[in-house]
């Protein structure tokens, strides 16, 4: 983890300084603490990245343990979330520490939603509505936050969406410096849900279709999450009609623009698909030992070959910025 | 009862939706924009001396398909590029490409697709060495293809939804086993995985894709022109001169994408849909064939997954765009199945006589897909016949094999006989290409053991090497099998396993550059056949199917209990051994799927995107090596042109429709004058002419000598005046062959119908306790 906590090219070249200054000096207490303690700016940045990683791991493990009440499944879910393509991309390629921080807190919200279900306060329809509304509210706040703190350019939001193939890519073999921020999958910058999570989602729908989950614990929660995650993944695509929604006019246009890119829906999309994978593992654990062991094997291999592989590429292809004094301004980069 | 009512309501709603869309399919075309060249000339901006631009005011387009019709009088070096640009209307709402208007091309049309309201589309023209007023007019029409596409898509969607609902009902009613569900979803998932690179809004060109796309477009145009059926010469190619690709390359399966083109889909979408169907077809055929062999669902599934995700098969789709070869690969499992059953089943049963149909249909499909793969298939069938010569020479088996070969030849007579005739009566580039050496085109030894199937860029060599390999999964499976057979020695080894493994090694060896291809090329008779396969790497195709079928037996081998196993006798308990076997299969499946995932992943990331919505944009000359062009013809010399008349000849009322030209011609001199028509001078063209010569009965005739770049040349008698019609008609032999094949198909159909009727009678007889006709109730393996 030591080497990957670097600033990406985009951050360095485009709005890197702005973001680093913004994060280091004004907003985040976490960020300022290492600086106050005498560490240089990039080191502070690294430290926060590490902290976010640790928090993500701890929160997600505790939350999934609270949800599934089983250590192995919780650990695997936590690892799946920690090494998810979208989270790694947000943290190391886009250098968006705010979003990475928010992603660390996401499992807590999911846990609360599951608790709400277990408490049986609401009926099924009410619960599903709360689930959907929580997610909608999250993105509304995310958009509002961006609109307050950033200048949101008038861009074609839909154009920045993903292709279905991108969602399911597993090995991000294109190095970050080779990657293109274009609209095609060709040399695309790593962004997607990852094959393993998509596989889990498809498997869930297949089993649901065959009526396999009847009577399973958290059945309704999982089904709600499956529908919602499917919707979120569709919303992250460039074929989702954002363009029409934006042209509908009014505040809605600004709200959509504030989200920056349809890929942002992958934050909840990733978490919910991870939850579904955990649900499947629990389901197999109870039904078939062979399938459960196969599931564990596939998840471990999947994490190693996807998240691990991506991290390795990032380490291999990131340029190393050195900045020792904030006042100097700009980065000195080692090619 | 309630469910039945809701089903009926659903079907009713679906029907209403389809009926609502139906009128849109017959809507008359509507002109939405028109502009003359003279109007364009007033607003043209000159960029350079030889280049001028024109950009029209905003045009508003509602959702639908639009056809842009360009009338031109460009000649000599003049050309123009016409395009409709989307403006700021919204993301990806207008999909289309521009088209080059060539000199000599009087008219061209092309489509653009508006998927939403486009308020500010712009007509944009570039003129190269051309005055804008030479472009007679540009007109935009809204055509009814949008309605047809919507109806088709909705129909397919309803079909899928209904199918899924029925399937779910069957599952919930307990009529579909869990095994069957697992098989279905695994195959669906494998197909989707293999199709991953095409889940984008664009396309990436393989080495031969442009050639095959032209075949599809040419077939569509030939069907529209209604010149000849079956199509022998596609008129679309070589600037409308025509190319005899259909005579040498089976077009049967391309009727699917050509049909989608006729409905109105873009070439890119039609091709993607075709690829998806081929993938699904491969999965279904492979599973069905393997299941017929071993009657074990999971073993058949394992083999089918190995085959669907085989690196070389995926490579054929995306790297090479080798439509013929991947189509042929779809039917290889049928051949394997037919041969397996003929050589392993009891030849005294009535069912035995039905196994040949796997071979017949497999061979028929392969012949219609790819001639070179047919050659390779024939080689391995012969090799198997030799290896199992005792069984081959059994009266029953030999009779079935000969019947299979004979029936396949009769059914495909309409294709192969004209092909051989054409090859015999003329010289083509193909014949000179075949004589080349091919050994250097084989893979290196390292290629066999290559584990990561990268997209690559080179067919041979080490650097940037393409996925010409059997794959990590298959390789590991063979190693595990060999390990178990030689060290564990716990189980008997089937003969099928030995033969399949032998064939895997043989085909892989033949795909390398160490196999003596150059030596074989020197053997009279054999050399021509052997080197005609062009690349030894094609042998990876049979290697893939042998690996997959071997996988089926490997699965059974693992599943079988060890013969001398006793509780407590081995170091490992029975349960542990079972776990090890399951683990082994799990690892193999993960490696196979992971390898395929890596490959499609790499292809998706490394393939440059191409957006092709307008078929006219790709030109007409992607003939690769020009294999089916007449020998000695310079393919770069082709241009659009009208009839080329010798001095003293006059023509009028010239009309060209595909491979047919009708015109009025007049020879004003007292000598024979020659006329050249823009049709490639393949043998088989006919001429009908009105009597109008100086002497009675004297009419124009096609000469043996061809015109410029192989054009058809017609001798017009002195003082001849009359109407002539030149058209492709083929030879009487072609029609005889077609009749033989038609009779063959009718015979096969009748035979199958008769069997069905007899089976029905038997069933009824059994139901009522009457003894039915003998010998047809046990052939459950009939294809």
């Amino acid at each position: 983890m030591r080497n990957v906590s670097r600033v990406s090219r985009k951050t360095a070249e485009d709005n890197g300084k702005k973001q680093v200054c913004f994060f280091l000096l004004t907003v985040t207490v976490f960020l300022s603490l290492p600086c106050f303690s005498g560490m240089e700016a990039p080191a502070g940045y690294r430290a926060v990245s590490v902290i976010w990683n640790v928090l993500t791991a701890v929160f997600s493990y505790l939350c999934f343990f609270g949800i599934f009440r089983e250590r192995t499944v919780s650990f695997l879910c936590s690892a799946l979330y920690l090494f998810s393509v979208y989270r790694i991309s947000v943290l190391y390629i886009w250098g968006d520490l705010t979003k990475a921080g928010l992603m660390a807190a996401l499992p807590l919200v999911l846990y609360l939603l599951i608790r709400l279900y277990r408490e049986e306060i609401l009926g099924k329809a009410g619960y599903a509505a709360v689930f959907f509304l929580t997610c909608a509210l999250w993105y509304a706040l995310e958009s509002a936050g961006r609109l307050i703190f950033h200048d949101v350019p008038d861009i074609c939001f839909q154009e920045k969406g993903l292709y279905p193939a991108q969602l399911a890519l597993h090995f991000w073999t294109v190095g970050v410096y080779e990657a293109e921020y274009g609209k095609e999958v060709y040399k695309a910058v790593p962004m997607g849900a990852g094959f393993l999570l998509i596989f889990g989602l498809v498997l869930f729908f297949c089993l649901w279709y065959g009526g396999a989950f009847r009577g399973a614990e958290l059945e309704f929660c999982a089904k709600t999450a499956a529908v919602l995650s499917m919707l979120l993944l569709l919303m992250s695509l460039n074929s989702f009609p954002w363009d029409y929604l934006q042209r509908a006019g009014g505040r809605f246009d600004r709200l959509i623009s504030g989200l920056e890119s349809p890929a942002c829906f992958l934050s909840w999309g990733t978490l919910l698909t991870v939850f579904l994978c955990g649900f499947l593992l629990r389901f197999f654990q109870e039904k078939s030992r062979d399938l459960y062991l196969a599931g564990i094997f596939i998840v471990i291999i999947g994490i190693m070959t996807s998240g691990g592989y991506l991290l390795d590429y990032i380490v291999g292809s990131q340029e190393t910025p050195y900045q020792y004094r904030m006042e100097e301004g700009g980065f000195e980069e080692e090619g | 009862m309630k469910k039945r009512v809701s089903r009926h309501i659903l079907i009713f709603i679906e029907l209403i939706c389809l009926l609502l869309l139906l009128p849109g399919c017959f809507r008359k075309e509507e002109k939405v924009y028109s502009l003359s060249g003279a109007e364009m000339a007033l607003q043209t901006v000159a960029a350079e001396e030889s280049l001028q631009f024109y950009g029209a005011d905003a045009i508003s387009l509602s959702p639908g398909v639009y056809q842009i019709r360009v009338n031109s009088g460009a000649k000599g070096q003049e050309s123009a590029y016409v395009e409709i640009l989307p403006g700021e209307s919204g993301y990806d709402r207008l999909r289309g490409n521009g088209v080059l208007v060539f000199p000599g091309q009087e008219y061209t049309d092309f489509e653009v697709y508006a998927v939403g309201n486009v308020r500010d589309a712009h007509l944009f023209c570039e003129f190269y060495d051309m005055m804008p007023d030479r472009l007679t007019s540009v007109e935009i029409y809204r055509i009814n293809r949008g309605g047809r596409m919507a109806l088709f898509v909705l129909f397919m969607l309803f079909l899928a939804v209904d199918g899924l609902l029925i399937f779910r009902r069957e599952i919930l009613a307990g009529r579909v086993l869990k095994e069957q569900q697992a098989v279905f979803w695994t195959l669906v998932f494998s197909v989707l995985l293999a199709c991953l690179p095409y889940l984008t809004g664009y396309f990436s060109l393989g080495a031969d894709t442009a050639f095959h796309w032209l075949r599809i477009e040419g077939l569509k145009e030939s069907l529209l022109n209604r010149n000849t059926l079956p199509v022998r010469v596609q008129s679309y190619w070589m600037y409308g001169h025509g190319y005899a690709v259909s005579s040498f390359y089976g077009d049967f399966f391309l009727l699917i994408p050509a049909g989608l083109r006729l409905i109105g889909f873009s070439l890119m979408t039609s091709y993607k849909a075709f690829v998806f169907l081929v993938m699904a077809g491969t999965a279904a055929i492979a599973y069905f064939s393997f299941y017929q062999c071993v009657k074990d669902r999971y073993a058949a599934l394992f083999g089918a997954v190995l085959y669907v995700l085989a690196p070389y098969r995926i490579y054929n789709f995306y790297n090479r765009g080798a439509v013929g070869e991947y189509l042929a690969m779809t039917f290889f499992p049928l051949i394997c199945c037919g041969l397996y059953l003929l050589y392993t089943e009891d030849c005294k049963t009535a069912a035995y006589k039905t196994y040949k149909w796997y071979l017949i249909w497999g061979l028929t499909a392969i012949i219609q897909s790819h001639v070179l793969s047919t050659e390779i298939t024939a080689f391995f069938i012969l090799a198997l016949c030799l290896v199992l010569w005792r069984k081959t020479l059994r009266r029953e088996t030999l009779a079935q094999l000969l019947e299979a070969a004979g029936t396949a030849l009769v059914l495909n007579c309409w294709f192969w006989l004209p092909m051989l005739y054409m090859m015999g009566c003329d010289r083509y580039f193909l014949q000179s290409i075949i004589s080349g050496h091919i050994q250097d085109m084989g893979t290196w030894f390292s290629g066999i053991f290559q584990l990561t199937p990268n997209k690559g860029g080179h067919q041979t060599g080490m650097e940037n090497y393409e996925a010409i390999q059997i794959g990590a999964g298959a390789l590991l499976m063979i190693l595990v099998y060999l390990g178990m057979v030689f060290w564990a020695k716990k189980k008997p080894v089937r003969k099928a396993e030995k033969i399949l493994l032998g064939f895997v090694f043989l085909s892989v060896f033949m795909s390398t550059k160490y196999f003596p291809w150059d030596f074989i090329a020197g053997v009279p008779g054999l050399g021509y056949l052997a080197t005609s396969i062009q690349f030894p790497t094609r042998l990876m195709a049979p290697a893939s199917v042998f690996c997959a079928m071997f996988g089926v037996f490997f699965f059974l081998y693992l599943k079988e209990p060890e013969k001398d196993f006793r509780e407590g006798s081995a170091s490992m308990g029975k349960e542990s051994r079972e776990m090890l076997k399951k683990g082994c299969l799990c690892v193999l499946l993960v490696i196979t799927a992971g390898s395929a995932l890596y490959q499609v992943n790499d292809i998706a990331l490394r393939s440059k995107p191409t957006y092709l919505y307008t078929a006219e944009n790709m030109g007409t000359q992607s003939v690769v090596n020009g294999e089916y062009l007449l020998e000695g013809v310079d393919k770069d010399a082709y241009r659009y042109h009208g009839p080329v008349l010798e001095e003293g000849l006059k023509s009028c009322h010239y009309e060209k429709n595909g491979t047919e030209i009708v015109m009025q011609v007049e020879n004003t001199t007292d000598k024979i004058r020659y006329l050249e028509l823009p049709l490639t001078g393949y043998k088989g063209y006919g001429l009908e002419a009105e009597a109008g010569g100086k002497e009675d009965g004297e009419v124009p005739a096609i000469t043996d000598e061809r015109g410029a770049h192989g054009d058809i040349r017609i001798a017009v008698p002195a003082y001849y005046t009359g109407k002539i019609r030149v058209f492709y008609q083929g030879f009487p032999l072609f029609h005889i062959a077609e009749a033989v094949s038609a009779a063959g198909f009718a015979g096969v159909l009748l035979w199958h119908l008769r069997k069905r009727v007899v089976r029905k009678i038997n069933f009824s007889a059994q139901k009522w306790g009457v003894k039915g006709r003998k010998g047809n109730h046990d052939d459950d393996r009939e294809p």
Side-chain angles (χ1 to χ4, degrees), chain B residues 286-287 289-307 340 477 494 497 500 545-559 585:
Chain B
Y287 171 75
S289 305
F290 296 149
Y291 179 71
Q292 292 301 313
C293 292
V294 296
K295 293 285 175 194
D296 184 299
R297 287 189 204 287
Y298 286 135
L301 179 65
F302 185 68
V305 169
L306 274 179
Y307 193 52
Y340 177 80
M477 175 180 72
R494 287 188 185 85
E497 290 161 25
L500 280 167
V545 76
F546 295 142
C547 277
M549 194 155 174
F550 177 75
V552 175
F553 290 102
F554 174 76
F555 189 97
L556 293 177
Y557 184 82
L558 277 186
K559 204 175 158 187
L585 282 172

Side-chain angles (χ1 to χ4, degrees), chain A residues 170-171 184 187 209 243 290, chain B residues 91 164 168 582 601 605:
Chain A
H170 186 76
F171 302 92
E184 284 109 9
K187 289 187 177 178
Y209 175 84
D243 202 27
D290 292 347
Chain B
Y91 173 67
L164 283 172
R168 183 172 156 84
K582 284 175 186 169
N601 204 124
L605 284 172

